[in-house]
Amino acid sequence: MDSSNLTSLPEEGSEETHNSHNLPSAFSSAPTRPPIQTSSQKYAPSDWSGYFDQEDDIQIPDSDDVFHVYMAGTEGPVIFCLHGGGYSGLSFALAASKIKEKARIVAMDLRGHGKTSTQNDVDLSIERLCSDVFSVLKTMYGDAPPAIVLVGHSMGGAVAVHVAAKKSLPSLAGLVVVDVVEGTAMASLIHMQKILSNRMQHFSTPEKAIEWSIKSGSLRNIDSACVSIPSTLKYDDSKKCYTHRARLEETEQFWKGWYEGLSEKFLSSPVPKILLLAGTDRLDRTLTIGQMQGKFQMVVVRHTGHAIQEDVPDEFVTLVLNFISHNRIGPHGIEIPGLRRPPQSKP
């Protein structure tokens, strides 16, 4: 090969080299790469105040029980949220930041969970849990509560159904049950102790617990995990680490009572109701018949785990607000077009 035909490379410092610096580069408009997040940054806890407007402690009269609640919004019906076993009221944090634009939202820490303090944290009998809900509502709103839409996830869904079925809450206007069905729940109870014992028990930091919740598949939304998981932990001074706040493994005697007869109670609840499921295989025979008869609305939410309100909060909010709008639930209950409410007489 004749080397004279090859273009010679410019010498360093030559005029040609300097001119080449002025030529547009294929990489000149490439964005700067964001700094890589460390694990502790990625899973850093976030505060409830970024989602709810306020928190409060509800002291139940004539008892030592104090229930912690998170609240947001100023208008519309009250969407009263009950979390699942082992979760907390902050399970609804991301949803609250959107719901408060259209309605009020209250999420309580149930007995034995979150920042709630009771005389007996392991009495999670369905009777006790229902009584707690009635007590909190009574203490917060007295004898003239606004329209209430009960929202319950998992164990909290069972509590919501039992509360609705008692027909003791005149202002109850709607019922939203999130991923709990009697048949599946009852069948899973025999595996529950093993599931509880197999989960990671000790965490050096809240960040490690948040990371575990995501990597184990318990939650799929890092933003939600960062705000909700820290409230499910407590610090164990003797072991110098964080452990699970709720002592679920000590409540096995109550589990059957949460779910037994749940489908019939759900269908008998005298308010509009919707069931949000993470999979179609979770309908039992009673609910299948009820759904075919149009007794409730059902939506299967795709691409989510068990905690629908945490994994896909935007879709969850849309479904809840559409349910309220479709059933014309206002701050005082079901609103019938053309029917004016009588003016409130002033004392």
Side-chain angles (χ1 to χ4, degrees):
M1 180 184 291
D2 185 358
S3 61
S4 63
N5 291 331
L6 294 177
T7 304
S8 60
L9 293 173
E11 295 286 340
E12 184 178 354
S14 71
E15 183 180 350
E16 192 174 345
T17 303
H18 290 303
N19 289 340
S20 68
H21 289 165
N22 298 325
L23 295 175
S25 166
F27 302 101
S28 60
S29 60
T32 55
R33 178 177 294 179
I36 297 174
Q37 282 186 311
T38 64
S39 180
S40 60
Q41 290 173 322
K42 184 177 182 181
Y43 300 108
S46 54
D47 195 66
W48 65 267
S49 59
Y51 306 95
F52 287 96
D53 296 338
Q54 65 183 107
E55 62 177 347
D56 201 3
D57 286 317
I58 308 300
Q59 170 75 57
I60 305 304
D62 304 318
S63 84
D64 292 328
D65 295 344
V66 180
F67 290 89
H68 198 75
V69 299
Y70 301 91
M71 297 173 285
T74 57
E75 299 177 340
V78 171
I79 299 174
F80 198 85
C81 301
L82 307 174
H83 61 78
Y87 295 79
S88 81
L90 292 179
S91 180
F92 296 93
L94 266 63
S97 66
K98 302 284 175 57
I99 286 176
K100 68 182 183 182
E101 299 170 6
K102 302 286 186 180
R104 288 173 281 179
I105 179 169
V106 176
M108 70 179 279
D109 287 340
L110 294 171
R111 176 178 295 263
H113 293 75
K115 294 181 181 179
T116 283
S117 171
T118 66
Q119 291 176 295
N120 186 349
D121 275 357
V122 294
D123 180 4
L124 297 190
S125 64
I126 193 65
E127 295 81 9
R128 175 65 70 187
L129 293 172
C130 288
S131 175
D132 290 342
V133 172
F134 283 119
S135 295
V136 170
L137 288 170
K138 173 78 170 176
T139 305
M140 289 182 71
Y141 302 113
D143 295 324
I148 302 289
V149 176
L150 276 179
V151 177
H153 168 240
S154 196
M155 178 193 78
V159 177
V161 168
H162 279 82
V163 168
K166 289 181 184 296
K167 303 175 185 176
S168 301
L169 191 60
S171 69
L172 183 63
L175 177 61
V176 181
V177 175
V178 184
D179 210 40
V180 58
V181 166
E182 178 183 348
T184 309
M186 293 294 287
S188 68
L189 289 183
I190 59 172
H191 308 293
M192 195 53 59
Q193 284 289 8
K194 185 175 182 180
I195 292 172
L196 291 174
S197 62
N198 283 348
R199 64 181 178 168
M200 189 173 289
Q201 304 290 335
H202 307 104
F203 308 95
S204 57
T205 63
E207 287 86 346
K208 289 296 184 184
I210 294 168
E211 182 177 3
W212 168 80
S213 74
I214 294 295
K215 291 187 174 179
S216 68
S218 299
L219 297 177
R220 302 185 184 184
N221 186 323
I222 292 180
D223 290 337
S224 189
C226 286
V227 67
S228 71
I229 290 297
S231 62
T232 68
L233 306 172
K234 64 178 180 180
Y235 188 73
D236 187 328
D237 280 317
S238 64
K239 297 179 180 176
K240 304 298 181 186
C241 66
Y242 291 87
T243 61
H244 299 286
R245 156 79 173 93
R247 292 146 57 189
L248 294 178
E249 63 281 355
E250 298 176 37
T251 66
E252 183 175 4
Q253 60 182 306
F254 306 120
W255 297 349
K256 189 176 178 182
W258 297 345
Y259 305 120
E260 203 166 40
L262 194 64
S263 293
E264 291 289 355
K265 283 184 168 61
F266 176 70
L267 294 176
S268 71
S269 301
V271 292
K273 40 198 169 285
I274 183 171
L275 178 61
L276 307 182
L277 295 178
T280 51
D281 60 328
R282 296 193 168 110
L283 269 195
D284 57 29
R285 183 174 182 273
T286 302
L287 287 184
T288 300
I289 295 172
Q291 206 251 334
M292 292 171 66
Q293 293 173 338
K295 292 184 177 180
F296 66 95
Q297 183 184 351
M298 185 189 76
V299 177
V300 176
V301 183
R302 307 290 181 184
H303 312 298
T304 178
H306 179 47
I308 296 173
Q309 74 280 6
E310 297 208 48
D311 291 347
V312 287
D314 290 350
E315 188 170 355
F316 173 78
V317 168
T318 298
L319 289 167
V320 171
L321 293 180
N322 284 349
F323 168 76
I324 290 172
S325 174
H326 175 75
N327 289 287
R328 301 182 182 276
I329 302 171
H332 305 290
I334 306 295
E335 296 178 341
I336 302 174
L339 182 67
R340 296 180 62 186
R341 291 182 60 83
Q344 298 288 324
S345 58
K346 295 182 179 180

